[in-house]
Structure formats: structure tokens, C-alpha cells
């Protein structure tokens, strides 16, 4: 199932390099995820931390692509004697457009990812787990403060089932090396 994301990320990287872009930069990000909708109900509105790694390929004129790998977990929620947790591993890519025409200041972003979701519910000694892989979409706005540090706010959407959407607002700090 990971063949499609690898192909997509490889295509993005090849396109960036073939356009004479400058060398890629790599980095890490720290995330805070605020659950929305059905996910909010599942985790009792508890925000969850996340971490990730990324590469950035500056295509020039304010255009950039960013392959990324993120992991997020939501703390255990307790509903009477039922305890529930959720987590995800996301592999995808983002397009960034810098308003100033160079990789600094305000930017808009949109992305696509393959998201591996894990859900767990426990009732006493009974435990039920569910894992599924779905597509995810992201859109947001960020600010690159200098060549190394940036901040970003994004809306994430991933549909788990017909009656369950795992949406979230994500705030992050990125550090590029």
C-alpha cells in the first residue's frame, strides 16, 4: 500500500531537482493536534502531540514542495469504564506558496497524504483495536520567520468510514537544517 506514496514523493523530488532547484533542506516539526468532529467525540476533545520529519525542495519564485512523515497520538479518553485512544502515521507531501515570491514570510499550503489510523477501545479486560489506511487532505497557512524556523496552522481531513471523519486543527513549529 505504500507504493503510491513512494511514487508520489519520488516524483515530487525528481521534479524539484530537474527544475534546477537549490539543494533540498531537511527538518523536523513539533505538532499539537486539536480533534474535530467524530474524532473529537472519540478522544473526548483531548488534544494530542505529534512529531515529524520533512524535506523541502525550493522550486523558486515562491513555490516549494515538502515531503513529510508525521506521527500523532491522542491521549486516552475515559467514558465510564471504557477507555479509548487514537493515533496516526501520515506519509505525504505538501505544496507551499510563499506570498513574497521567496521562501520567507507568509505562505499558503495544501497537501495530500496516506494516513495509517489506529483506534483502540478497552472495557475492563476486553480490548478492541482497529487499524485502517485512508487518504488525508490538508490546507493551511504558515509563516517562515527565518531560514530555519517556521510556524504553521493546518486543517486536516481524513474520512475513516461513512459515519466517522477524523478531522483536526494542527499547529506546528518547523525547524529546517
Amino acid at each position: 500500500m505504500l507504493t503510491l506514496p513512494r511514487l508520489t514523493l519520488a516524483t515530487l523530488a525528481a521534479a524539484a531537482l530537474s527544475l534546477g532547484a537549490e539543494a533540498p533542506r531537511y527538518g523536523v516539526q513539533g505538532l499539537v493536534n486539536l480533534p474535530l468532529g467524530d474524532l473529537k467525540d472519540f478522544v473526548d476533545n483531548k488534544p494530542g502531540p505529534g512529531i515529524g520529519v520533512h524535506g523541502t525542495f525550493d522550486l523558486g519564485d515562491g513555490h516549494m514542495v515538502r515531503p513529510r512523515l508525521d506521527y500523532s497520538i491522542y491521549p486516552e479518553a475515559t467514558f465510564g469504564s471504557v477507555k479509548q485512544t487514537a493515533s496516526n502515521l501520515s506519509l505525504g507531501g505538501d505544496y507551499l506558496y510563499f506570498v513574497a515570491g521567496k521562501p520567507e514570510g507568509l505562505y499558503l499550503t495544501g497537501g495530500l497524504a496516506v494516513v495509517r489510523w489506529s483506534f483502540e477501545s478497552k472495557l475492563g479486560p476486553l480490548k478492541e483495536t482497529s487499524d485502517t489506511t485512508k487518504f488525508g487532505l490538508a490546507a493551511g497557512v504558515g509563516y517562515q520567520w527565518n531560514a530555519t524556523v517556521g510556524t504553521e496552522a493546518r486543517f486536516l481531513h481524513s474520512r475513516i468510514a461513512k459515519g466517522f471523519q477524523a478531522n483536526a486543527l494542527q499547529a506546528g513549529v518547523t525547524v529546517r537544517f
Side-chain angles (χ1 to χ4, degrees), residues 31-34 68 70 72 152-156 168-172:
L31 309 166
V32 174
N33 299 287
L34 304 172
R68 60 190 289 145
D70 297 328
S72 295
E152 189 171 293
R154 303 171 2 133
F155 172 77
L156 306 172
L169 286 177
Q170 185 180 73

Side-chain angles (χ1 to χ4, degrees), residues 98-107 143-146:
F98 288 86
V99 176
K102 52 189 174 184
E104 62 184 39
L106 183 68
Y107 65 89
Y143 197 88
Q144 191 66 38
W145 298 96
N146 56 42

Side-chain angles (χ1 to χ4, degrees), residues 5 12 25 35 39 42 80 99 126 131 150-151 165:
L12 289 173
R25 293 185 62 190
L39 180 61
F42 188 85
V99 176
L126 303 173
D131 298 308
T151 52
Q165 293 190 37

Side-chain angles (χ1 to χ4, degrees), residues 6-149:
R6 285 185 188 150
L7 177 62
T8 303
L9 295 176
T11 302
L12 289 173
L17 293 175
S18 70
L19 292 173
E22 50 180 73
R25 293 185 62 190
Y26 302 98
V28 296
Q29 60 261 5
L31 309 166
V32 174
N33 299 287
L34 304 172
L36 301 173
D38 302 313
L39 180 61
K40 178 180 175 179
D41 295 338
F42 188 85
V43 299
D44 196 25
N45 199 29
K46 292 184 178 180
I51 58 171
V53 295
H54 65 268
T56 56
F57 297 85
D58 184 358
L59 304 176
D61 296 327
H63 304 281
M64 185 179 285
V65 292
R66 177 179 60 193
R68 60 190 289 145
L69 176 67
D70 297 328
Y71 177 74
S72 295
I73 187 164
Y74 292 89
E76 184 174 83
T78 303
F79 302 94
S81 56
V82 176
K83 297 179 180 185
Q84 299 182 150
T85 60
S87 64
N88 71 58
L89 181 65
S90 173
L91 176 63
D94 299 324
Y95 166 76
L96 286 71
Y97 175 71
F98 288 86
V99 176
K102 52 189 174 184
E104 62 184 39
L106 183 68
Y107 65 89
L108 305 174
T109 182
L112 178 64
V114 174
V115 185
R116 178 69 174 173
W117 283 98
S118 297
F119 298 94
E120 182 178 280
S121 295
K122 292 187 268 184
L123 176 60
L126 303 173
K127 180 167 94 170
E128 180 182 338
T129 60
S130 173
D131 298 308
T132 187
T133 302
K134 301 293 182 180
F135 280 106
L137 300 171
V141 62
Y143 197 88
Q144 191 66 38
W145 298 96
N146 56 42
T148 305
V149 178

